[in-house]
mmCIF file with all atom_site columns, all heavy atoms in Angstrom:
data_model
loop_
_atom_site.group_PDB
_atom_site.id
_atom_site.type_symbol
_atom_site.label_atom_id
_atom_site.label_alt_id
_atom_site.label_comp_id
_atom_site.label_asym_id
_atom_site.label_entity_id
_atom_site.label_seq_id
_atom_site.pdbx_PDB_ins_code
_atom_site.Cartn_x
_atom_site.Cartn_y
_atom_site.Cartn_z
_atom_site.occupancy
_atom_site.B_iso_or_equiv
_atom_site.pdbx_formal_charge
_atom_site.auth_seq_id
_atom_site.auth_comp_id
_atom_site.auth_asym_id
_atom_site.auth_atom_id
_atom_site.pdbx_PDB_model_num
ATOM 1  N N   . GLY A 1 152 ? 9.937  6.267  7.015  1.00 91.00 ? 152 GLY A N   1
ATOM 2  C CA  . GLY A 1 152 ? 10.726 5.674  5.940  1.00 91.00 ? 152 GLY A CA  1
ATOM 3  C C   . GLY A 1 152 ? 10.033 4.585  5.157  1.00 91.00 ? 152 GLY A C   1
ATOM 4  O O   . GLY A 1 152 ? 10.660 3.912  4.339  1.00 91.00 ? 152 GLY A O   1
ATOM 5  N N   . PHE A 1 153 ? 8.729  4.404  5.374  1.00 96.00 ? 153 PHE A N   1
ATOM 6  C CA  . PHE A 1 153 ? 7.998  3.352  4.670  1.00 96.00 ? 153 PHE A CA  1
ATOM 7  C C   . PHE A 1 153 ? 7.465  3.857  3.333  1.00 96.00 ? 153 PHE A C   1
ATOM 8  O O   . PHE A 1 153 ? 7.185  5.040  3.151  1.00 96.00 ? 153 PHE A O   1
ATOM 9  C CB  . PHE A 1 153 ? 6.812  2.870  5.506  1.00 96.00 ? 153 PHE A CB  1
ATOM 10 C CG  . PHE A 1 153 ? 7.183  1.957  6.638  1.00 96.00 ? 153 PHE A CG  1
ATOM 11 C CD1 . PHE A 1 153 ? 7.684  2.476  7.823  1.00 96.00 ? 153 PHE A CD1 1
ATOM 12 C CD2 . PHE A 1 153 ? 7.023  0.585  6.533  1.00 96.00 ? 153 PHE A CD2 1
ATOM 13 C CE1 . PHE A 1 153 ? 8.031  1.646  8.878  1.00 96.00 ? 153 PHE A CE1 1
ATOM 14 C CE2 . PHE A 1 153 ? 7.355  -0.260 7.579  1.00 96.00 ? 153 PHE A CE2 1
ATOM 15 C CZ  . PHE A 1 153 ? 7.871  0.273  8.757  1.00 96.00 ? 153 PHE A CZ  1
ATOM 16 N N   . GLY A 1 154 ? 7.301  2.911  2.396  1.00 96.00 ? 154 GLY A N   1
ATOM 17 C CA  . GLY A 1 154 ? 6.624  3.167  1.138  1.00 96.00 ? 154 GLY A CA  1
ATOM 18 C C   . GLY A 1 154 ? 5.604  2.074  0.914  1.00 96.00 ? 154 GLY A C   1
ATOM 19 O O   . GLY A 1 154 ? 5.705  0.979  1.491  1.00 96.00 ? 154 GLY A O   1
ATOM 20 N N   . ALA A 1 155 ? 4.617  2.364  0.079  1.00 96.00 ? 155 ALA A N   1
ATOM 21 C CA  . ALA A 1 155 ? 3.538  1.406  -0.152 1.00 96.00 ? 155 ALA A CA  1
ATOM 22 C C   . ALA A 1 155 ? 3.960  0.388  -1.216 1.00 96.00 ? 155 ALA A C   1
ATOM 23 O O   . ALA A 1 155 ? 3.989  0.692  -2.408 1.00 96.00 ? 155 ALA A O   1
ATOM 24 C CB  . ALA A 1 155 ? 2.281  2.136  -0.593 1.00 96.00 ? 155 ALA A CB  1
ATOM 25 N N   . LEU A 1 156 ? 4.293  -0.824 -0.758 1.00 95.00 ? 156 LEU A N   1
ATOM 26 C CA  . LEU A 1 156 ? 4.607  -1.907 -1.690 1.00 95.00 ? 156 LEU A CA  1
ATOM 27 C C   . LEU A 1 156 ? 3.327  -2.317 -2.414 1.00 95.00 ? 156 LEU A C   1
ATOM 28 O O   . LEU A 1 156 ? 3.304  -2.489 -3.630 1.00 95.00 ? 156 LEU A O   1
ATOM 29 C CB  . LEU A 1 156 ? 5.210  -3.084 -0.924 1.00 95.00 ? 156 LEU A CB  1
ATOM 30 C CG  . LEU A 1 156 ? 5.788  -4.231 -1.727 1.00 95.00 ? 156 LEU A CG  1
ATOM 31 C CD1 . LEU A 1 156 ? 6.920  -3.751 -2.623 1.00 95.00 ? 156 LEU A CD1 1
ATOM 32 C CD2 . LEU A 1 156 ? 6.279  -5.338 -0.789 1.00 95.00 ? 156 LEU A CD2 1
ATOM 33 N N   . TYR A 1 157 ? 2.257  -2.471 -1.636 1.00 93.00 ? 157 TYR A N   1
ATOM 34 C CA  . TYR A 1 157 ? 0.897  -2.631 -2.138 1.00 93.00 ? 157 TYR A CA  1
ATOM 35 C C   . TYR A 1 157 ? 0.006  -1.769 -1.248 1.00 93.00 ? 157 TYR A C   1
ATOM 36 O O   . TYR A 1 157 ? 0.480  -1.176 -0.279 1.00 93.00 ? 157 TYR A O   1
ATOM 37 C CB  . TYR A 1 157 ? 0.466  -4.102 -2.101 1.00 93.00 ? 157 TYR A CB  1
ATOM 38 C CG  . TYR A 1 157 ? 1.362  -5.003 -2.927 1.00 93.00 ? 157 TYR A CG  1
ATOM 39 C CD1 . TYR A 1 157 ? 2.249  -5.873 -2.309 1.00 93.00 ? 157 TYR A CD1 1
ATOM 40 C CD2 . TYR A 1 157 ? 1.320  -4.962 -4.320 1.00 93.00 ? 157 TYR A CD2 1
ATOM 41 C CE1 . TYR A 1 157 ? 3.093  -6.682 -3.062 1.00 93.00 ? 157 TYR A CE1 1
ATOM 42 C CE2 . TYR A 1 157 ? 2.160  -5.765 -5.073 1.00 93.00 ? 157 TYR A CE2 1
ATOM 43 C CZ  . TYR A 1 157 ? 3.041  -6.623 -4.449 1.00 93.00 ? 157 TYR A CZ  1
ATOM 44 O OH  . TYR A 1 157 ? 3.873  -7.413 -5.192 1.00 93.00 ? 157 TYR A OH  1
ATOM 45 N N   . SER A 1 158 ? -1.274 -1.699 -1.521 1.00 88.00 ? 158 SER A N   1
ATOM 46 C CA  . SER A 1 158 ? -2.130 -0.739 -0.816 1.00 88.00 ? 158 SER A CA  1
ATOM 47 C C   . SER A 1 158 ? -2.129 -0.960 0.704  1.00 88.00 ? 158 SER A C   1
ATOM 48 O O   . SER A 1 158 ? -2.105 -0.003 1.466  1.00 88.00 ? 158 SER A O   1
ATOM 49 C CB  . SER A 1 158 ? -3.562 -0.816 -1.345 1.00 88.00 ? 158 SER A CB  1
ATOM 50 O OG  . SER A 1 158 ? -4.103 -2.118 -1.160 1.00 88.00 ? 158 SER A OG  1
ATOM 51 N N   . GLY A 1 159 ? -2.151 -2.186 1.151  1.00 93.00 ? 159 GLY A N   1
ATOM 52 C CA  . GLY A 1 159 ? -2.181 -2.448 2.589  1.00 93.00 ? 159 GLY A CA  1
ATOM 53 C C   . GLY A 1 159 ? -0.899 -3.061 3.111  1.00 93.00 ? 159 GLY A C   1
ATOM 54 O O   . GLY A 1 159 ? -0.867 -3.576 4.234  1.00 93.00 ? 159 GLY A O   1
ATOM 55 N N   . LEU A 1 160 ? 0.171  -3.014 2.303  1.00 97.00 ? 160 LEU A N   1
ATOM 56 C CA  . LEU A 1 160 ? 1.454  -3.577 2.717  1.00 97.00 ? 160 LEU A CA  1
ATOM 57 C C   . LEU A 1 160 ? 2.548  -2.556 2.453  1.00 97.00 ? 160 LEU A C   1
ATOM 58 O O   . LEU A 1 160 ? 2.817  -2.197 1.303  1.00 97.00 ? 160 LEU A O   1
ATOM 59 C CB  . LEU A 1 160 ? 1.758  -4.866 1.957  1.00 97.00 ? 160 LEU A CB  1
ATOM 60 C CG  . LEU A 1 160 ? 3.067  -5.572 2.331  1.00 97.00 ? 160 LEU A CG  1
ATOM 61 C CD1 . LEU A 1 160 ? 3.044  -6.013 3.788  1.00 97.00 ? 160 LEU A CD1 1
ATOM 62 C CD2 . LEU A 1 160 ? 3.308  -6.769 1.413  1.00 97.00 ? 160 LEU A CD2 1
ATOM 63 N N   . TRP A 1 161 ? 3.162  -2.084 3.530  1.00 98.00 ? 161 TRP A N   1
ATOM 64 C CA  . TRP A 1 161 ? 4.197  -1.048 3.438  1.00 98.00 ? 161 TRP A CA  1
ATOM 65 C C   . TRP A 1 161 ? 5.537  -1.632 3.842  1.00 98.00 ? 161 TRP A C   1
ATOM 66 O O   . TRP A 1 161 ? 5.605  -2.582 4.634  1.00 98.00 ? 161 TRP A O   1
ATOM 67 C CB  . TRP A 1 161 ? 3.830  0.135  4.340  1.00 98.00 ? 161 TRP A CB  1
ATOM 68 C CG  . TRP A 1 161 ? 2.695  0.958  3.778  1.00 98.00 ? 161 TRP A CG  1
ATOM 69 C CD1 . TRP A 1 161 ? 1.459  0.508  3.408  1.00 98.00 ? 161 TRP A CD1 1
ATOM 70 C CD2 . TRP A 1 161 ? 2.699  2.365  3.523  1.00 98.00 ? 161 TRP A CD2 1
ATOM 71 N NE1 . TRP A 1 161 ? 0.699  1.538  2.929  1.00 98.00 ? 161 TRP A NE1 1
ATOM 72 C CE2 . TRP A 1 161 ? 1.428  2.700  2.991  1.00 98.00 ? 161 TRP A CE2 1
ATOM 73 C CE3 . TRP A 1 161 ? 3.641  3.367  3.694  1.00 98.00 ? 161 TRP A CE3 1
ATOM 74 C CZ2 . TRP A 1 161 ? 1.085  3.993  2.636  1.00 98.00 ? 161 TRP A CZ2 1
ATOM 75 C CZ3 . TRP A 1 161 ? 3.302  4.666  3.342  1.00 98.00 ? 161 TRP A CZ3 1
ATOM 76 C CH2 . TRP A 1 161 ? 2.044  4.965  2.811  1.00 98.00 ? 161 TRP A CH2 1
ATOM 77 N N   . ILE A 1 162 ? 6.607  -1.061 3.300  1.00 97.00 ? 162 ILE A N   1
ATOM 78 C CA  . ILE A 1 162 ? 7.943  -1.612 3.511  1.00 97.00 ? 162 ILE A CA  1
ATOM 79 C C   . ILE A 1 162 ? 8.935  -0.489 3.753  1.00 97.00 ? 162 ILE A C   1
ATOM 80 O O   . ILE A 1 162 ? 8.797  0.611  3.213  1.00 97.00 ? 162 ILE A O   1
ATOM 81 C CB  . ILE A 1 162 ? 8.366  -2.463 2.283  1.00 97.00 ? 162 ILE A CB  1
ATOM 82 C CG1 . ILE A 1 162 ? 9.663  -3.219 2.558  1.00 97.00 ? 162 ILE A CG1 1
ATOM 83 C CG2 . ILE A 1 162 ? 8.472  -1.602 1.020  1.00 97.00 ? 162 ILE A CG2 1
ATOM 84 C CD1 . ILE A 1 162 ? 9.978  -4.267 1.503  1.00 97.00 ? 162 ILE A CD1 1
ATOM 85 N N   . ALA A 1 163 ? 9.923  -0.761 4.600  1.00 96.00 ? 163 ALA A N   1
ATOM 86 C CA  . ALA A 1 163 ? 10.984 0.209  4.889  1.00 96.00 ? 163 ALA A CA  1
ATOM 87 C C   . ALA A 1 163 ? 12.306 -0.527 5.002  1.00 96.00 ? 163 ALA A C   1
ATOM 88 O O   . ALA A 1 163 ? 12.352 -1.672 5.465  1.00 96.00 ? 163 ALA A O   1
ATOM 89 C CB  . ALA A 1 163 ? 10.697 0.956  6.191  1.00 96.00 ? 163 ALA A CB  1
ATOM 90 N N   . PRO A 1 164 ? 13.399 0.092  4.581  1.00 96.00 ? 164 PRO A N   1
ATOM 91 C CA  . PRO A 1 164 ? 14.708 -0.550 4.709  1.00 96.00 ? 164 PRO A CA  1
ATOM 92 C C   . PRO A 1 164 ? 15.153 -0.589 6.164  1.00 96.00 ? 164 PRO A C   1
ATOM 93 O O   . PRO A 1 164 ? 14.943 0.357  6.928  1.00 96.00 ? 164 PRO A O   1
ATOM 94 C CB  . PRO A 1 164 ? 15.626 0.352  3.881  1.00 96.00 ? 164 PRO A CB  1
ATOM 95 C CG  . PRO A 1 164 ? 14.944 1.688  3.876  1.00 96.00 ? 164 PRO A CG  1
ATOM 96 C CD  . PRO A 1 164 ? 13.479 1.407  3.921  1.00 96.00 ? 164 PRO A CD  1
#
Side-chain angles (χ1 to χ4, degrees):
F153 283 80
L156 189 60
Y157 301 107
S158 60
L160 181 62
W161 287 55
I162 188 169

